[in-house]
Amino acid sequence: GVLHYEHAYSQAAFNADDPVLLKRDEVAPPERTLFLTVEGFGDCSFTLTPHLSPLQVRLTRHELALRVARMKRGWEGVIQEVKSDDDKRRSFHEQVQKIALNKRRVLWEKARGRDIVTINCEAVKGAAPQGKYQHLLEKHYDREQKFQRVRNF
């Protein structure tokens, strides 16, 4: 005889912790062992040959409708999915932190270890009208100081 076993959910299944419908085509049952019992008379020999092959999971109409609704929602659906799933939220926050650290590292490398905020403030001071006025005022004040030193000499 032939025994045929498929390690997959045969019907729509719900998560044990919360009532969320599992994606049967992506998640396998948690069981890892298969026990077989064979009963026979006299001397018997058995050959067990497992075959691994791709599995086709036929989704129900309800599962297909949920999947289509999820695709139609677009980015709003993705945000709702990230908000509702703790693992996805955690991985999203880790990804954002990695991007922020990478961005800081790139800025630090561009500035060659100098403080970019101070450099930008100095650049803006020279370009803004108030900064130009301040620069002319300081230049005039320095010139006056030089003339007074010459006069008093």
Side-chain angles (χ1 to χ4, degrees):
V2 176
L3 173 68
H4 182 74
Y5 172 75
E6 294 179 344
H7 189 69
Y9 290 107
S10 59
Q11 298 175 351
F14 291 92
N15 195 347
D17 298 334
D18 53 65
V20 175
L21 196 63
L22 290 175
K23 294 180 180 177
R24 293 188 299 136
D25 58 335
E26 296 177 9
V27 178
E31 293 81 14
R32 295 284 179 198
T33 55
L34 174 65
F35 296 101
L36 298 175
T37 304
V38 179
E39 187 176 320
F41 296 108
D43 283 340
C44 297
S45 65
F46 297 96
T47 304
L48 183 64
T49 54
H51 294 280
L52 301 176
S53 62
L55 185 66
Q56 278 191 343
V57 177
R58 296 178 199 264
L59 301 176
T60 62
R61 287 179 187 234
H62 179 66
E63 290 172 318
L64 286 172
L66 286 175
R67 187 166 292 186
V68 169
R70 189 179 304 130
M71 285 189 286
K72 283 185 178 178
R73 287 187 298 190
W75 62 271
E76 290 134 348
V78 172
I79 289 174
Q80 284 297 83
E81 208 169 295
V82 168
K83 282 183 179 180
S84 65
D85 190 6
D86 288 337
D87 292 334
K88 288 184 180 179
R89 187 179 328 134
R90 194 175 305 115
S91 67
F92 174 76
H93 284 297
E94 288 172 1
Q95 185 178 2
V96 168
Q97 287 176 347
K98 284 180 186 176
I99 291 170
L101 287 173
N102 189 30
K103 189 174 182 181
R104 281 191 211 126
R105 184 183 55 78
V106 167
L107 285 175
W108 187 83
E109 287 174 358
K110 281 184 180 179
R112 296 184 186 103
R114 295 174 291 164
D115 185 17
I116 282 197
V117 174
T118 309
I119 293 169
N120 286 343
C121 287
E122 293 297 322
V124 168
K125 279 183 186 176
Q130 186 178 11
K132 287 183 181 179
Y133 175 75
Q134 184 71 27
H135 178 70
L136 289 174
L137 195 64
E138 288 172 2
K139 193 173 167 184
H140 178 71
Y141 181 74
D142 288 341
R143 190 176 294 152
E144 280 295 317
Q145 291 291 330
K146 286 180 186 176
F147 283 139
Q148 284 198 2
R149 275 189 240 135
V150 169
R151 285 182 203 151
N152 290 340
F153 186 67

